[in-house]
Amino acid sequence: MMVRRLSAVDAQTYWLSAKIPNDSLLLYGFAGELPGLEQAMDVIRQRAWRCPELRLRIEDRNALRYPAWVSGPVGPDQFVVHDLADTTWTGCLAAVAGLFDHQLDPRRMAWRLHVFPRVDGVPGAGVGTVAVLQATHVLGDGIRSSELAAWLFGRGQEVAPVPAPPPFRGAALPWRSYQAARAHQQLVHDTEAGLVPAQADSRPTLRSNTRPDGVRSVRTVIRNRGELAGPTVTVGVLSAVSTALADHLRELGDDPSTLGAEVPMAKAGARKANNHFGNVGIGLYPELDVDARTARIVSDLADRRRRAAHPALLAANRASAAVPASLLRWGVKQFDPTVRSPTVTGNTVVSSVNRGPADLQFGELPVVLTAGYPGLSPMMWLTHGVYGIGDTIAISVHAAASAVGDVDAYVERLEAALGTTVGSAG
């Protein structure tokens, strides 16, 4: 049996999931209805068996040690075929939203594949087959989870394991902490000298950050890559979210002048954990015209990358990786998800992942779209996902009624801000 200790950041992600559920849902739409569903499922089962990273589960038996990844079988309960009462695309998305109520226990399984074999009105397909990979966040961030899903659906590139942390890292904590403190002093100096961008300001909470209440819904808007304005897909969507969300919040009585977004960003350097990213805050500048706003968003993203690449941030990561398991576990236990804060990193989340060429298949069915729905958290009850495969971009919305009121009214605003409609869905 393969045993590999979790990194500190992955262990923290795992322990926090008991307080803030954080499973990821990766949706893939395929054109057509499978005549031989079981045969196609068998192919996916075999591919899962051939990928060691898809045979992992967590073993966590000693409170003084970090949990470990252990290898086990791919079980039959990791594949679920759903018989929808409402076979429309809207009905399918409602069923997908319901999956958030059934979080996985990574000690039993780290992922599960949900299949909806006949869905009417799949964008770009008409009648289609929808598959949703539900994965515990500890198994991977957006990039890594997308690589695992792509392997299941036929892409040839194997997913490499993340190197195990070296043993006895706790002994390095004093030295790593000293290095981190010295590097932080240099960061302060470099920031004051204008050599490094300052840390992003926190923002006042808005309705989208309120305590959750009411129905939680997911929606998806489809666009062609070439029809999105902006220098990149991510920037174009951020600008559109600025317009739509500011107008929507203003109508609900909020002042959106300080509107900002929390954006997951890959960390610099080689991957040393399944979760190799950090969340950064950027302004959305709804009071500026589109060109000026786009320029500011581009500048903010560049500033966050520059600051994240400073040696002080790398030193801090190394120090965090050396924290003893018992100390980190104690720290996670102190976290109270019910405590409210008057300020936040962002008023919404916009997570963006390019899932590569449209080369995936389910049986003989070609992929036509991919989407995802970043989870909600105690201070964030409106999230957006931006996922591309080939030239098709899915812009997803996941929201609680308390955050946006009428979610369909908000999606209509977002559709208008995104421009020409190729296809949209409830």
Side-chain angles (χ1 to χ4, degrees):
M1 178 188 296
M2 183 191 77
V3 177
R4 185 174 79 223
R5 204 207 82 181
L6 269 68
S7 67
V9 67
D10 288 337
Q12 184 179 44
T13 300
Y14 163 57
W15 289 327
L16 279 173
S17 68
K19 298 191 175 191
I20 304 177
N22 59 14
D23 282 6
S24 300
L25 298 181
L26 292 76
L27 181 149
Y28 294 81
F30 299 87
E33 184 179 1
L34 279 168
L37 178 60
E38 279 305 315
Q39 182 178 0
M41 295 283 284
D42 283 341
V43 171
I44 292 179
R45 290 188 188 97
Q46 292 168 16
R47 291 188 68 85
W49 269 100
R50 287 163 49 196
C51 178
E53 297 303 290
L54 287 169
R55 298 203 306 271
L56 297 178
R57 60 180 178 82
I58 286 178
E59 189 175 85
D60 187 17
R61 297 180 178 178
N62 190 327
L64 299 179
R65 296 180 180 177
Y66 275 99
W69 288 113
V70 297
S71 183
V74 176
D77 54 349
Q78 290 185 250
F79 302 88
V80 181
V81 177
H82 295 263
D83 184 14
L84 291 173
D86 179 357
T87 61
T88 66
W89 172 242
T90 300
C92 180
L93 289 189
V96 171
L99 298 178
F100 283 107
D101 295 328
H102 304 282
Q103 298 284 303
L104 301 176
D105 180 350
R107 294 171 299 181
R108 291 188 57 245
M109 67 181 76
W111 61 272
R112 173 179 275 162
L113 187 68
H114 302 267
V115 179
F116 303 88
R118 190 187 192 283
V119 178
D120 299 315
V122 174
V127 174
T129 299
V130 173
V132 177
L133 179 66
Q134 179 179 4
T136 59
H137 216 304
V138 64
L139 186 63
D141 52 28
I143 294 174
R144 184 171 176 78
S145 295
S146 296
E147 291 172 348
L148 292 169
W151 170 263
L152 285 177
F153 294 119
R155 192 169 291 164
Q157 185 175 354
E158 295 186 9
V159 182
V162 176
F168 309 116
R169 295 197 83 174
L173 181 59
W175 174 242
R176 293 280 175 83
S177 298
Y178 171 76
Q179 289 179 313
R182 289 290 301 271
H184 181 73
Q185 291 177 345
Q186 186 63 47
L187 174 61
V188 172
H189 176 272
D190 291 345
T191 302
E192 292 174 347
L195 302 175
V196 178
Q199 186 173 356
D201 293 331
S202 295
R203 301 173 188 282
T205 57
L206 297 174
R207 177 164 175 161
S208 53
N209 305 109
T210 56
R211 194 180 300 277
D213 190 26
V215 176
R216 304 176 192 183
S217 306
V218 299
R219 300 288 188 270
T220 302
V221 178
I222 305 298
R223 292 290 183 270
N224 183 276
R225 185 180 300 271
E227 293 174 329
L228 292 172
T232 67
V233 167
T234 303
V235 171
V237 173
L238 284 166
S239 180
V241 167
S242 174
T243 297
L245 186 53
D247 289 348
H248 197 76
L249 291 174
R250 195 178 291 114
E251 185 174 282
L252 294 173
D254 268 352
D255 175 7
S257 59
T258 60
L259 189 66
E262 185 176 321
V263 179
M265 182 177 289
K267 289 183 177 179
R271 177 184 287 273
K272 295 183 179 180
N274 287 11
N275 286 273
H276 186 66
F277 75 99
N279 291 325
V280 301
I282 67 161
L284 290 181
Y285 309 104
E287 306 304 323
L288 299 180
D289 63 55
V290 172
D291 290 341
R293 179 195 308 156
T294 297
R296 290 294 298 273
I297 291 173
V298 169
S299 177
D300 276 8
L301 289 170
D303 283 349
R304 295 310 105 216
R305 291 191 186 95
R306 284 177 57 206
R307 187 174 177 87
H310 191 277
L313 279 299
L314 303 179
N317 289 337
R318 288 194 294 269
S320 297
V323 172
S326 57
L327 181 58
L328 182 59
R329 194 188 294 260
W330 177 86
V332 171
K333 286 183 178 179
Q334 308 316 303
F335 173 70
D336 184 354
T338 67
V339 172
R340 306 292 298 170
S341 170
T343 60
V344 288
T345 303
N347 305 113
T348 186
V349 164
V350 179
S351 179
S352 182
V353 179
N354 183 350
R355 290 180 175 159
D359 58 353
L360 307 183
Q361 288 186 313
F362 191 177
E364 299 299 319
L365 306 182
V367 68
V368 292
L369 67 90
T370 184
Y373 307 94
L376 306 180
S377 66
M379 293 295 298
M380 187 69 70
W381 287 92
L382 170 63
T383 65
H384 301 78
V386 185
Y387 301 95
I389 194 158
D391 289 327
T392 301
I393 308 297
I395 302 96
S396 304
V397 175
H398 184 194
S402 57
V404 296
D406 185 347
V407 66
D408 291 313
Y410 172 65
V411 172
E412 287 179 8
R413 284 191 164 99
L414 183 58
E415 287 179 323
L418 288 165
T420 306
T421 303
V422 175
S424 62

